[in-house]
Amino acid sequence: MFVRFWGTRGSIATPGEDTIRYGGNTSCIEVQSESGTLILIDCGTGVRRLGDRLMAEGRRPLRGHLLISHTHWDHIQGLPFFTPLFVPGNEWDIYAPQGFEASLEDTLAGQMQYTYFPITLGDLGATIRYHEIVEGSFRVGDIRVTAQYLNHPALTLGYRLEADGTAVVYACDHEPHSRALAGGDGDIDGNDRRHAEFLASADLVIHDAQYTAAEYEGKKGWGHSTAEYAAEVARSAGVHRLALTHHDPRRDDDAVDRIVAAIRQRVTDSGSAMEVFGAAEGQVVELHAAPDRHLQLLTGEVAAAPPQASALFERTVVVGVADPQLAATLREAIAADRIHAIVETDGEGVLARVLEAPASLVILQEDLPGMDGPAVCRAIRSRAAKEEDDLPIIVVANRERKAAAGDADGVSDWLVKPFSTAYLRTRARSWLLRTACRWEKAPLPPDEEKRLAALHKLAILDTPPEERFDRLTRLAAAIFDVPTALVSLVDRDRQWFKAGYGDLPRETPREESFCAHAVVNRAPLVVPDAMDDDRFADNPTVTGEPRVRFYAGQPLILPDGACVGTVCLVDTRPRELDERQKGLLADLGELVRRELLLPKA
Ligand SMILES: [Zn+2]
Ligand SMILES: [Zn+2]
């Protein structure tokens, strides 16, 4: 991958004679894969010159993707000046975190209302598609993108991009989950550990480093990292190169130099070979896969897709708080999201509520009278039903505590006073979004590696369509009167369609795949109504295009026992399959299986 920095400044553009070397433009990064997939991350003022460069190159039509971490000004202010968005024929996909209130399009249109700007979002000539996303993975061309929430007063996503055997991670704006880590010392645990795993063995991490440890005392809760924390979390994650960015506007070039020098010294003293530099406007970093290195791919448990709006409302949050002032703050933060809050003033009350009816989130005061927050948490974890293992529990603490102690109690997240209502609201939202957008991903079969070897040996993946398969899916669609019939092969992280009757992409992510369930069970799978099935109701192929309601898949098992995929039927209407039809589907499966085993013509 090729990475170029177009904006490295935090908060506000800071041009001037003392910011010439690192640059004064706000956040913007360009990433291109070897095959030319173009992704921009964030759209601060730096994007204007990038737009000019792209226009001068004359690629028409221009196809690009824009990942927005969050919609704070310094990350979107360049958007109205990004010329490629004005050119008819160009196509852009814009991705940003799904919020609870305004849509992404409305949020971006806000800064272009005529009070602020002469041209509206609607006047942009390019075809623009807006995607509101949550945590998880998706594909953009040949780049696999994984999004994960950061810790910031606005809902913010970090992005990990993997392609060509390399990985780059962008993590701005982000504050240590545990403030005790701001100095760069201490055990990385809990949600900070999760953050480190997100960076794991990346070739390049571009990390928020707005403050230094010495400055942090006065900046708690502002949503930014210290350079020391960025270095420590990256070092512990086995990162190869670390770019410190989101430079504070008060920082001149010499001040950035001093921070970089101090961090380099720190990293060297720790015995690490990680390379550290201050991200500078115009700087290019080329990433090449090391031949002997196996990149540790992230396996997200959820994939990013617009969750159903309804999944985010009508949720119940159980609050256990004795302090009336804290209760009022919590109510205010949660009520804004049209979520039911049930307030209990003691631990027994919370426990009874949670065990009696399902909750989406629990927020507890650490020093609840009687049974304290961690004790309630332990009790919930030991008594709740299996499906509540994932129930997020936030404990509000008066002071920083060791994250490790929290882990033993089963606390999902610690929120340490003082914090703003916005911070609390964002934390609660990110936990709700995480759980709202979860569907069941098929587990990996026990013989996965053998299965993949058998599939690859068929040498059929990524081959052109063939009439002998197309004929069978055409027949299947006609026999069962469904709009879509497919020969689907389940590869390591995708399902690829050898043949498909209907208007479809050539492949989709494995984590969204129905067929992967049939493959692991090695048995026919019939889903009469996906909306009514907990395994699939939140699946992005159900909640979004192509709006799957009915699915029936017949596994394709080779003579050596490897189950490589299915022949399957898909409909946008719920329906049933009777015994005779199940028999016919099995017959079709046999015909497809025979074709798979035939030597290629
Ligand atoms: Zn920022
Ligand atoms: Zn921000």
Side-chain angles (χ1 to χ4, degrees):
M1 279 188 286
F2 162 100
V3 178
R4 192 196 299 249
F5 297 92
W6 292 89
T8 60
R9 191 63 53 175
S11 309
I12 188 167
T14 318
E17 59 199 9
D18 17 342
T19 56
I20 285 172
R21 283 188 289 120
Y22 288 101
N25 280 304
T26 57
S27 300
C28 179
I29 312 283
E30 171 192 6
V31 180
Q32 289 205 43
S33 69
E34 276 166 28
S35 74
T37 302
L38 172 65
I39 292 186
L40 317 188
I41 312 178
D42 274 344
C43 211
T45 60
V47 84
R48 191 191 63 80
R49 284 185 58 214
L50 166 56
D52 292 349
R53 222 274 326 278
L54 291 170
M55 294 300 288
E57 280 178 358
R59 264 203 268 170
R60 300 272 173 81
L62 184 60
R63 179 87 180 87
H65 307 265
L66 172 56
L67 305 176
I68 292 177
S69 62
H70 64 307
T71 53
H72 278 164
W73 248 7
D74 53 321
H75 299 257
I76 61 166
Q77 213 170 4
L79 191 86
F81 298 90
F82 184 55
T83 319
L85 292 181
F86 291 86
V87 181
N90 285 355
E91 261 183 69
W92 285 86
D93 286 83
I94 305 184
Y95 302 80
Q98 146 109 35
F100 274 67
E101 284 112 10
S103 71
L104 169 60
E105 193 170 353
D106 289 345
T107 306
L108 294 177
Q111 70 163 352
M112 292 176 76
Q113 280 171 10
Y114 75 90
T115 318
Y116 309 113
F117 199 73
I119 300 166
T120 69
L121 193 65
D123 295 332
L124 299 178
T127 301
I128 302 174
R129 285 178 291 266
Y130 299 90
H131 307 268
E132 298 184 33
I133 58 174
V134 294
E135 282 191 346
S137 298
F138 55 102
R139 262 185 190 282
V140 171
D142 58 339
I143 302 181
R144 179 184 159 97
V145 179
T146 302
Q148 184 166 301
Y149 289 121
L150 302 176
N151 187 29
H152 197 56
L155 259 183
T156 302
L157 286 170
Y159 294 107
R160 180 181 173 108
L161 277 50
E162 294 168 342
D164 312 323
T166 60
V168 54
V169 180
Y170 175 83
C172 285
D173 303 354
H174 174 76
E175 180 163 351
H177 290 278
S178 166
R179 291 173 185 171
L181 290 173
D185 301 307
D187 291 337
I188 294 173
D189 232 311
N191 289 305
D192 292 295
R193 167 88 351 240
R194 188 167 183 268
H195 183 61
E197 282 161 9
F198 183 57
L199 315 181
S201 57
D203 298 83
L204 173 66
V205 167
I206 303 163
H207 204 285
D208 182 352
Q210 180 145 357
Y211 304 128
T212 63
E215 295 163 340
Y216 184 68
E217 186 55 37
K219 311 288 184 188
K220 284 181 183 168
W222 289 30
H224 294 287
S225 289
T226 61
E228 289 84 351
Y229 168 81
E232 186 50 26
V233 83
R235 192 195 60 79
S236 82
V239 167
H240 292 242
R241 268 185 278 189
L242 170 67
L244 302 174
T245 193
H246 211 271
H247 307 306
D248 192 87
R250 295 165 307 152
R251 207 87 73 198
D252 61 18
D253 288 332
D254 294 344
V256 178
D257 282 343
R258 284 193 294 273
I259 292 173
V260 171
I263 297 299
R264 277 184 183 151
Q265 188 60 50
R266 211 190 143 84
V267 168
T268 313
D269 290 349
S270 73
S272 160
M274 181 173 74
E275 192 186 310
V276 179
F277 61 96
E281 226 173 283
Q283 186 177 6
V284 170
V285 180
E286 282 192 48
L287 308 176
H288 298 285
D292 56 337
R293 196 164 134 248
H294 178 68
L295 181 67
Q296 191 186 333
L297 288 177
L298 284 186
T299 45
E301 59 194 43
V302 292
Q308 273 176 290
S310 63
L312 305 176
F313 302 134
E314 307 309 321
R315 303 283 224 101
T316 302
V317 178
V318 177
V319 176
V321 175
D323 171 0
Q325 205 188 333
L326 180 58
T329 310
L330 289 170
R331 267 189 190 284
E332 188 196 335
I334 299 163
D337 297 328
R338 288 186 276 161
I339 285 161
H340 307 296
I342 297 173
V343 181
E344 294 286 342
T345 51
D346 60 70
E348 282 77 13
V350 173
L351 194 56
R353 283 283 183 183
V354 172
L355 298 178
E356 146 200 318
S360 302
L361 174 67
V362 176
I363 306 179
L364 299 167
Q365 182 182 332
E366 184 185 15
D367 50 351
L368 265 181
M371 201 177 184
D372 70 10
V376 177
C377 191
R378 279 195 304 275
I380 293 174
R381 295 289 183 225
S382 67
R383 284 195 239 162
K386 184 86 183 72
E387 56 268 25
E388 275 149 18
D389 277 355
D390 291 338
L391 173 68
I393 304 178
I394 301 178
V395 176
V396 179
N398 292 320
R399 63 199 147 72
E400 199 60 51
R401 27 179 307 158
K402 285 265 170 276
D407 282 346
D409 297 325
V411 176
S412 319
D413 199 2
W414 289 92
L415 194 59
V416 181
K417 289 182 191 171
F419 50 82
S420 65
T421 309
Y423 226 119
L424 168 62
R425 184 180 299 141
T426 304
R427 285 274 183 110
R429 284 176 191 199
S430 56
W431 280 109
L432 285 170
L433 283 162
R434 242 175 228 161
T435 50
C437 308
R438 196 165 282 178
W439 66 91
E440 220 176 280
K441 193 181 77 170
L444 291 180
D447 65 338
E448 176 68 1
E449 291 305 321
K450 197 173 140 259
R451 194 190 71 79
L452 284 172
L455 171 62
H456 295 163
K457 202 161 153 242
L458 291 175
I460 193 169
L461 291 173
D462 300 304
T463 55
E466 287 175 71
E467 177 57 22
R468 60 195 183 110
F469 289 104
D470 290 346
R471 179 188 299 143
L472 292 172
T473 52
R474 213 159 48 229
L475 272 172
I479 293 169
F480 294 95
D481 186 28
V482 290
T484 305
L486 300 158
V487 173
S488 163
L489 300 170
V490 177
D491 195 7
R492 191 179 293 277
D493 64 355
R494 60 173 179 163
Q495 59 176 349
W496 181 83
F497 306 127
K498 174 59 189 173
Y501 182 84
D503 184 20
L504 291 151
R506 283 318 295 274
E507 63 179 48
T508 58
R510 181 172 182 174
E511 51 202 7
E512 295 173 7
S513 165
F514 284 59
C515 300
H517 289 263
V519 164
V520 67
N521 294 323
R522 307 169 61 84
L525 170 69
V526 180
V527 179
D529 186 351
M531 290 275 217
D532 235 15
D533 189 319
D534 282 347
R535 291 171 297 176
F536 304 108
D538 284 329
N539 189 299
T541 63
V542 176
T543 58
E545 293 304 327
R547 307 214 170 273
V548 176
R549 291 294 291 274
F550 164 81
Y551 170 92
Q554 178 72 30
L556 302 169
I557 300 175
L558 305 183
D560 65 0
C563 183
V564 293
T566 71
V567 55
C568 67
L569 314 171
V570 176
D571 201 342
T572 51
R573 297 164 298 171
R575 51 192 296 169
E576 298 285 346
L577 214 57
D578 63 28
E579 288 310 312
R580 190 188 60 93
Q581 289 172 309
K582 284 180 187 165
L584 285 170
L585 185 58
D587 289 344
L588 267 165
E590 180 54 26
L591 291 175
V592 172
R593 199 179 79 96
R594 285 177 189 219
E595 289 299 338
L596 281 176
L597 295 169
L598 279 180
K600 265 194 284 182

